[in-house]
mmCIF file of all heavy atoms in Angstrom:
data_model
loop_
_atom_site.group_PDB
_atom_site.id
_atom_site.type_symbol
_atom_site.label_atom_id
_atom_site.label_comp_id
_atom_site.label_asym_id
_atom_site.label_seq_id
_atom_site.Cartn_x
_atom_site.Cartn_y
_atom_site.Cartn_z
ATOM 1 N N ASP U 1 -5.801 -11.916 5.584
ATOM 2 C CA ASP U 1 -6.934 -11.108 6.032
ATOM 3 C C ASP U 1 -6.866 -9.729 5.373
ATOM 4 O O ASP U 1 -5.941 -8.961 5.660
ATOM 5 C CB ASP U 1 -6.894 -11.007 7.559
ATOM 6 C CG ASP U 1 -7.967 -10.094 8.073
ATOM 7 O OD1 ASP U 1 -8.946 -9.789 7.382
ATOM 8 O OD2 ASP U 1 -7.857 -9.662 9.259
ATOM 9 N N PRO U 2 -7.807 -9.384 4.500
ATOM 10 C CA PRO U 2 -7.758 -8.110 3.830
ATOM 11 C C PRO U 2 -7.703 -6.908 4.737
ATOM 12 O O PRO U 2 -7.049 -5.891 4.460
ATOM 13 C CB PRO U 2 -9.015 -8.090 2.966
ATOM 14 C CG PRO U 2 -9.372 -9.538 2.780
ATOM 15 C CD PRO U 2 -8.970 -10.203 4.071
ATOM 16 N N GLU U 3 -8.390 -7.021 5.883
ATOM 17 C CA GLU U 3 -8.423 -5.863 6.807
ATOM 18 C C GLU U 3 -7.043 -5.623 7.395
ATOM 19 O O GLU U 3 -6.647 -4.437 7.588
ATOM 20 C CB GLU U 3 -9.439 -6.131 7.906
ATOM 21 C CG GLU U 3 -9.644 -4.928 8.830
ATOM 22 C CD GLU U 3 -9.997 -3.658 8.073
ATOM 23 O OE1 GLU U 3 -10.744 -3.709 7.121
ATOM 24 O OE2 GLU U 3 -9.499 -2.562 8.487
ATOM 25 N N GLN U 4 -6.293 -6.644 7.703
ATOM 26 C CA GLN U 4 -4.938 -6.454 8.237
ATOM 27 C C GLN U 4 -4.052 -5.813 7.198
ATOM 28 O O GLN U 4 -3.226 -4.941 7.494
ATOM 29 C CB GLN U 4 -4.354 -7.770 8.721
ATOM 30 C CG GLN U 4 -5.057 -8.368 9.930
ATOM 31 C CD GLN U 4 -4.284 -9.520 10.540
ATOM 32 O OE1 GLN U 4 -3.114 -9.401 10.859
ATOM 33 N NE2 GLN U 4 -4.982 -10.675 10.698
ATOM 34 N N TRP U 5 -4.182 -6.223 5.918
ATOM 35 C CA TRP U 5 -3.416 -5.615 4.841
ATOM 36 C C TRP U 5 -3.844 -4.196 4.622
ATOM 37 O O TRP U 5 -3.023 -3.297 4.348
ATOM 38 C CB TRP U 5 -3.527 -6.475 3.549
ATOM 39 C CG TRP U 5 -2.628 -7.620 3.579
ATOM 40 C CD1 TRP U 5 -2.871 -8.902 3.982
ATOM 41 C CD2 TRP U 5 -1.254 -7.612 3.145
ATOM 42 N NE1 TRP U 5 -1.757 -9.670 3.821
ATOM 43 C CE2 TRP U 5 -0.754 -8.939 3.316
ATOM 44 C CE3 TRP U 5 -0.412 -6.633 2.606
ATOM 45 C CZ2 TRP U 5 0.547 -9.269 2.998
ATOM 46 C CZ3 TRP U 5 0.898 -6.984 2.286
ATOM 47 C CH2 TRP U 5 1.368 -8.269 2.478
ATOM 48 N N ARG U 6 -5.117 -3.937 4.766
ATOM 49 C CA ARG U 6 -5.611 -2.552 4.584
ATOM 50 C C ARG U 6 -4.998 -1.633 5.636
ATOM 51 O O ARG U 6 -4.605 -0.484 5.364
ATOM 52 C CB ARG U 6 -7.154 -2.533 4.613
ATOM 53 C CG ARG U 6 -7.756 -1.145 4.259
ATOM 54 C CD ARG U 6 -9.266 -1.245 4.232
ATOM 55 N NE ARG U 6 -9.726 -2.086 3.113
ATOM 56 C CZ ARG U 6 -10.234 -3.279 3.233
ATOM 57 N NH1 ARG U 6 -10.387 -3.838 4.445
ATOM 58 N NH2 ARG U 6 -10.644 -3.955 2.178
ATOM 59 N N ARG U 7 -4.951 -2.098 6.875
ATOM 60 C CA ARG U 7 -4.375 -1.285 7.953
ATOM 61 C C ARG U 7 -2.893 -1.075 7.702
ATOM 62 O O ARG U 7 -2.380 0.033 7.908
ATOM 63 C CB ARG U 7 -4.601 -1.978 9.299
ATOM 64 C CG ARG U 7 -6.031 -1.887 9.820
ATOM 65 C CD ARG U 7 -6.072 -2.185 11.319
ATOM 66 N NE ARG U 7 -5.591 -3.513 11.632
ATOM 67 C CZ ARG U 7 -6.394 -4.599 11.723
ATOM 68 N NH1 ARG U 7 -7.696 -4.446 11.488
ATOM 69 N NH2 ARG U 7 -5.858 -5.762 12.023
ATOM 70 N N LEU U 8 -2.192 -2.111 7.236
ATOM 71 C CA LEU U 8 -0.775 -1.982 6.984
ATOM 72 C C LEU U 8 -0.528 -0.923 5.893
ATOM 73 O O LEU U 8 0.348 -0.065 6.049
ATOM 74 C CB LEU U 8 -0.163 -3.326 6.553
ATOM 75 C CG LEU U 8 1.295 -3.249 6.082
ATOM 76 C CD1 LEU U 8 2.229 -2.829 7.219
ATOM 77 C CD2 LEU U 8 1.746 -4.599 5.522
ATOM 78 N N MET U 9 -1.287 -0.998 4.793
ATOM 79 C CA MET U 9 -1.059 -0.059 3.727
ATOM 80 C C MET U 9 -1.382 1.355 4.168
ATOM 81 O O MET U 9 -0.711 2.328 3.774
ATOM 82 C CB MET U 9 -1.941 -0.412 2.493
ATOM 83 C CG MET U 9 -1.474 -1.668 1.781
ATOM 84 S SD MET U 9 0.164 -1.422 0.948
ATOM 85 C CE MET U 9 1.154 -2.663 1.863
ATOM 86 N N ALA U 10 -2.428 1.532 4.982
ATOM 87 C CA ALA U 10 -2.740 2.881 5.488
ATOM 88 C C ALA U 10 -1.609 3.406 6.342
ATOM 89 O O ALA U 10 -1.240 4.585 6.294
ATOM 90 C CB ALA U 10 -4.046 2.824 6.288
ATOM 91 N N GLU U 11 -1.015 2.533 7.167
ATOM 92 C CA GLU U 11 0.120 2.913 8.013
ATOM 93 C C GLU U 11 1.335 3.264 7.150
ATOM 94 O O GLU U 11 2.080 4.208 7.451
ATOM 95 C CB GLU U 11 0.468 1.802 8.992
ATOM 96 C CG GLU U 11 -0.636 1.600 10.072
ATOM 97 C CD GLU U 11 -0.420 0.289 10.831
ATOM 98 O OE1 GLU U 11 0.541 -0.461 10.500
ATOM 99 O OE2 GLU U 11 -1.237 -0.002 11.728
ATOM 100 N N GLU U 12 1.541 2.486 6.098
ATOM 101 C CA GLU U 12 2.689 2.740 5.221
ATOM 102 C C GLU U 12 2.504 4.081 4.496
ATOM 103 O O GLU U 12 3.482 4.862 4.351
ATOM 104 C CB GLU U 12 2.801 1.606 4.174
ATOM 105 C CG GLU U 12 3.285 0.301 4.750
ATOM 106 C CD GLU U 12 4.732 0.377 5.215
ATOM 107 O OE1 GLU U 12 5.632 0.156 4.396
ATOM 108 O OE2 GLU U 12 4.928 0.661 6.408
ATOM 109 N N LYS U 13 1.307 4.369 4.048
ATOM 110 C CA LYS U 13 1.023 5.644 3.414
ATOM 111 C C LYS U 13 1.322 6.783 4.379
ATOM 112 O O LYS U 13 1.911 7.818 4.032
ATOM 113 C CB LYS U 13 -0.403 5.667 2.958
ATOM 114 C CG LYS U 13 -0.774 6.884 2.103
ATOM 115 C CD LYS U 13 -2.190 6.750 1.576
ATOM 116 C CE LYS U 13 -2.618 7.929 0.740
ATOM 117 N NZ LYS U 13 -3.990 7.754 0.205
ATOM 118 N N GLN U 14 0.908 6.613 5.637
ATOM 119 C CA GLN U 14 1.124 7.653 6.645
ATOM 120 C C GLN U 14 2.610 7.771 6.921
ATOM 121 O O GLN U 14 3.105 8.907 7.209
ATOM 122 C CB GLN U 14 0.395 7.229 7.935
ATOM 123 C CG GLN U 14 0.497 8.281 9.059
ATOM 124 C CD GLN U 14 -0.248 9.564 8.745
ATOM 125 O OE1 GLN U 14 -1.224 9.549 7.982
ATOM 126 N NE2 GLN U 14 0.218 10.666 9.267
ATOM 127 N N ARG U 15 3.371 6.674 6.781
ATOM 128 C CA ARG U 15 4.795 6.695 7.015
ATOM 129 C C ARG U 15 5.578 7.374 5.871
ATOM 130 O O ARG U 15 6.775 7.645 5.985
ATOM 131 C CB ARG U 15 5.293 5.250 7.220
ATOM 132 C CG ARG U 15 6.637 5.095 7.838
ATOM 133 C CD ARG U 15 6.907 3.635 8.221
ATOM 134 N NE ARG U 15 6.896 2.750 7.086
ATOM 135 C CZ ARG U 15 7.958 2.489 6.304
ATOM 136 N NH1 ARG U 15 9.095 3.128 6.533
ATOM 137 N NH2 ARG U 15 7.855 1.646 5.315
ATOM 138 N N GLY U 16 4.918 7.646 4.782
ATOM 139 C CA GLY U 16 5.538 8.350 3.630
ATOM 140 C C GLY U 16 5.848 7.458 2.489
ATOM 141 O O GLY U 16 6.442 7.896 1.515
ATOM 142 N N ILE U 17 5.399 6.184 2.506
ATOM 143 C CA ILE U 17 5.645 5.286 1.385
ATOM 144 C C ILE U 17 4.676 5.645 0.261
ATOM 145 O O ILE U 17 3.467 5.720 0.461
ATOM 146 C CB ILE U 17 5.469 3.823 1.813
ATOM 147 C CG1 ILE U 17 6.483 3.454 2.863
ATOM 148 C CG2 ILE U 17 5.571 2.887 0.595
ATOM 149 C CD1 ILE U 17 7.945 3.670 2.474
ATOM 150 N N THR U 18 5.214 5.858 -0.936
ATOM 151 C CA THR U 18 4.410 6.259 -2.086
ATOM 152 C C THR U 18 4.434 5.186 -3.194
ATOM 153 O O THR U 18 3.709 5.372 -4.189
ATOM 154 C CB THR U 18 4.933 7.579 -2.670
ATOM 155 O OG1 THR U 18 6.306 7.422 -3.027
ATOM 156 C CG2 THR U 18 4.797 8.727 -1.663
ATOM 157 N N TYR U 19 5.224 4.139 -3.023
ATOM 158 C CA TYR U 19 5.350 3.140 -4.054
ATOM 159 C C TYR U 19 5.559 1.775 -3.428
ATOM 160 O O TYR U 19 6.417 1.626 -2.509
ATOM 161 C CB TYR U 19 6.562 3.458 -4.966
ATOM 162 C CG TYR U 19 6.610 2.600 -6.213
ATOM 163 C CD1 TYR U 19 6.125 3.077 -7.440
ATOM 164 C CD2 TYR U 19 7.182 1.313 -6.176
ATOM 165 C CE1 TYR U 19 6.200 2.291 -8.598
ATOM 166 C CE2 TYR U 19 7.226 0.525 -7.307
ATOM 167 C CZ TYR U 19 6.734 1.033 -8.539
ATOM 168 O OH TYR U 19 6.785 0.258 -9.644
ATOM 169 N N VAL U 20 4.776 0.779 -3.866
ATOM 170 C CA VAL U 20 4.864 -0.557 -3.270
ATOM 171 C C VAL U 20 5.296 -1.553 -4.324
ATOM 172 O O VAL U 20 4.891 -1.500 -5.508
ATOM 173 C CB VAL U 20 3.529 -1.008 -2.657
ATOM 174 C CG1 VAL U 20 3.164 -0.083 -1.502
ATOM 175 C CG2 VAL U 20 2.404 -1.052 -3.672
ATOM 176 N N VAL U 21 6.130 -2.492 -3.945
ATOM 177 C CA VAL U 21 6.527 -3.607 -4.774
ATOM 178 C C VAL U 21 5.954 -4.865 -4.138
ATOM 179 O O VAL U 21 6.336 -5.282 -3.031
ATOM 180 C CB VAL U 21 8.054 -3.723 -4.915
ATOM 181 C CG1 VAL U 21 8.420 -4.935 -5.781
ATOM 182 C CG2 VAL U 21 8.641 -2.465 -5.489
ATOM 183 N N LEU U 22 5.004 -5.520 -4.831
ATOM 184 C CA LEU U 22 4.306 -6.651 -4.296
ATOM 185 C C LEU U 22 4.896 -7.933 -4.923
ATOM 186 O O LEU U 22 4.889 -8.084 -6.143
ATOM 187 C CB LEU U 22 2.822 -6.561 -4.605
ATOM 188 C CG LEU U 22 2.126 -5.258 -4.208
ATOM 189 C CD1 LEU U 22 0.628 -5.354 -4.509
ATOM 190 C CD2 LEU U 22 2.361 -4.896 -2.782
ATOM 191 N N ALA U 23 5.367 -8.795 -4.064
ATOM 192 C CA ALA U 23 6.045 -9.997 -4.543
ATOM 193 C C ALA U 23 5.518 -11.199 -3.742
ATOM 194 O O ALA U 23 4.366 -11.236 -3.318
ATOM 195 C CB ALA U 23 7.552 -9.858 -4.438
ATOM 196 N N GLY U 24 6.366 -12.188 -3.579
ATOM 197 C CA GLY U 24 5.924 -13.379 -2.866
ATOM 198 C C GLY U 24 7.113 -14.270 -2.641
ATOM 199 O O GLY U 24 8.202 -13.774 -2.487
ATOM 200 N N ALA U 25 6.713 -15.403 -2.700
ATOM 201 C CA ALA U 25 6.278 -16.350 -3.686
ATOM 202 C C ALA U 25 5.467 -15.710 -4.788
ATOM 203 O O ALA U 25 5.949 -14.857 -5.505
ATOM 204 C CB ALA U 25 5.631 -17.536 -3.018
ATOM 205 N N GLU U 26 4.173 -16.116 -4.999
ATOM 206 C CA GLU U 26 3.421 -15.646 -6.188
ATOM 207 C C GLU U 26 2.209 -14.825 -5.815
ATOM 208 O O GLU U 26 1.195 -15.354 -5.327
ATOM 209 C CB GLU U 26 2.993 -16.892 -6.992
ATOM 210 C CG GLU U 26 2.135 -16.561 -8.206
ATOM 211 C CD GLU U 26 2.723 -15.429 -9.054
ATOM 212 O OE1 GLU U 26 3.921 -15.481 -9.383
ATOM 213 O OE2 GLU U 26 1.943 -14.531 -9.383
ATOM 214 N N PRO U 27 2.270 -13.512 -6.013
ATOM 215 C CA PRO U 27 1.193 -12.620 -5.549
ATOM 216 C C PRO U 27 -0.137 -12.799 -6.292
ATOM 217 O O PRO U 27 -1.186 -12.448 -5.730
ATOM 218 C CB PRO U 27 1.779 -11.225 -5.792
ATOM 219 C CG PRO U 27 2.845 -11.425 -6.765
ATOM 220 C CD PRO U 27 3.419 -12.764 -6.544
ATOM 221 N N SER U 28 -0.116 -13.327 -7.498
ATOM 222 C CA SER U 28 -1.386 -13.495 -8.209
ATOM 223 C C SER U 28 -2.304 -14.467 -7.535
ATOM 224 O O SER U 28 -3.511 -14.561 -7.841
ATOM 225 C CB SER U 28 -1.121 -13.902 -9.673
ATOM 226 O OG SER U 28 -0.553 -15.197 -9.733
ATOM 227 N N LEU U 29 -1.799 -15.260 -6.602
ATOM 228 C CA LEU U 29 -2.627 -16.252 -5.890
ATOM 229 C C LEU U 29 -3.459 -15.592 -4.799
ATOM 230 O O LEU U 29 -4.310 -16.284 -4.211
ATOM 231 C CB LEU U 29 -1.712 -17.322 -5.278
ATOM 232 C CG LEU U 29 -0.995 -18.226 -6.250
ATOM 233 C CD1 LEU U 29 0.049 -19.113 -5.534
ATOM 234 C CD2 LEU U 29 -1.970 -19.070 -7.041
ATOM 235 N N VAL U 30 -3.237 -14.316 -4.502
ATOM 236 C CA VAL U 30 -4.048 -13.591 -3.475
ATOM 237 C C VAL U 30 -4.611 -12.320 -4.126
ATOM 238 O O VAL U 30 -4.253 -11.240 -3.714
ATOM 239 C CB VAL U 30 -3.217 -13.309 -2.221
ATOM 240 C CG1 VAL U 30 -3.003 -14.569 -1.408
ATOM 241 C CG2 VAL U 30 -1.850 -12.674 -2.542
ATOM 242 N N PRO U 31 -5.485 -12.447 -5.112
ATOM 243 C CA PRO U 31 -5.926 -11.295 -5.864
ATOM 244 C C PRO U 31 -6.674 -10.242 -5.008
ATOM 245 O O PRO U 31 -6.534 -9.024 -5.280
ATOM 246 C CB PRO U 31 -6.884 -11.879 -6.914
ATOM 247 C CG PRO U 31 -7.301 -13.225 -6.345
ATOM 248 C CD PRO U 31 -6.113 -13.712 -5.602
ATOM 249 N N GLU U 32 -7.370 -10.657 -3.994
ATOM 250 C CA GLU U 32 -8.065 -9.680 -3.150
ATOM 251 C C GLU U 32 -7.088 -8.757 -2.442
ATOM 252 O O GLU U 32 -7.345 -7.548 -2.336
ATOM 253 C CB GLU U 32 -8.977 -10.403 -2.134
ATOM 254 C CG GLU U 32 -9.815 -9.416 -1.311
ATOM 255 C CD GLU U 32 -10.743 -10.112 -0.363
ATOM 256 O OE1 GLU U 32 -10.679 -11.371 -0.263
ATOM 257 O OE2 GLU U 32 -11.556 -9.414 0.290
ATOM 258 N N LEU U 33 -5.978 -9.292 -1.999
ATOM 259 C CA LEU U 33 -4.989 -8.509 -1.323
ATOM 260 C C LEU U 33 -4.332 -7.489 -2.246
ATOM 261 O O LEU U 33 -4.006 -6.379 -1.854
ATOM 262 C CB LEU U 33 -3.926 -9.385 -0.679
ATOM 263 C CG LEU U 33 -4.385 -10.435 0.342
ATOM 264 C CD1 LEU U 33 -3.199 -11.124 0.967
ATOM 265 C CD2 LEU U 33 -5.253 -9.774 1.413
ATOM 266 N N LEU U 34 -4.157 -7.863 -3.524
ATOM 267 C CA LEU U 34 -3.602 -6.915 -4.496
ATOM 268 C C LEU U 34 -4.512 -5.709 -4.648
ATOM 269 O O LEU U 34 -4.073 -4.547 -4.733
ATOM 270 C CB LEU U 34 -3.392 -7.607 -5.843
ATOM 271 C CG LEU U 34 -2.517 -8.847 -5.864
ATOM 272 C CD1 LEU U 34 -2.371 -9.336 -7.287
ATOM 273 C CD2 LEU U 34 -1.171 -8.585 -5.255
ATOM 274 N N GLY U 35 -5.827 -5.986 -4.695
ATOM 275 C CA GLY U 35 -6.782 -4.874 -4.787
ATOM 276 C C GLY U 35 -6.768 -3.990 -3.572
ATOM 277 O O GLY U 35 -6.869 -2.743 -3.695
ATOM 278 N N VAL U 36 -6.599 -4.568 -2.394
ATOM 279 C CA VAL U 36 -6.502 -3.772 -1.189
ATOM 280 C C VAL U 36 -5.334 -2.842 -1.218
ATOM 281 O O VAL U 36 -5.419 -1.637 -0.887
ATOM 282 C CB VAL U 36 -6.432 -4.712 0.048
ATOM 283 C CG1 VAL U 36 -6.014 -3.914 1.304
ATOM 284 C CG2 VAL U 36 -7.755 -5.424 0.275
ATOM 285 N N CYS U 37 -4.181 -3.362 -1.626
ATOM 286 C CA CYS U 37 -2.983 -2.512 -1.707
ATOM 287 C C CYS U 37 -3.160 -1.407 -2.719
ATOM 288 O O CYS U 37 -2.783 -0.239 -2.452
ATOM 289 C CB CYS U 37 -1.767 -3.383 -2.085
ATOM 290 S SG CYS U 37 -1.342 -4.601 -0.839
#
């Protein structure tokens, strides 16, 4: 769900996270979520 990921990333940014490492299994299979992050 893109909205749940959007909320998580907003919370992470508020928490002071400035860099994300997106992995998986295979992250290219969820392209919309990559854009949200």
Side-chain angles (χ1 to χ4, degrees):
D1 176 15
E3 186 54 39
Q4 292 191 55
W5 278 93
R6 188 175 292 108
R7 287 198 299 268
L8 173 64
M9 289 293 118
E11 292 168 358
E12 289 292 274
K13 187 175 182 179
Q14 185 67 29
R15 196 168 63 84
I17 297 303
T18 58
Y19 189 98
V20 297
V21 179
L22 309 183
E26 177 47 49
S28 66
L29 293 172
V30 286
E32 184 177 5
L33 300 185
L34 303 183
V36 167
C37 295

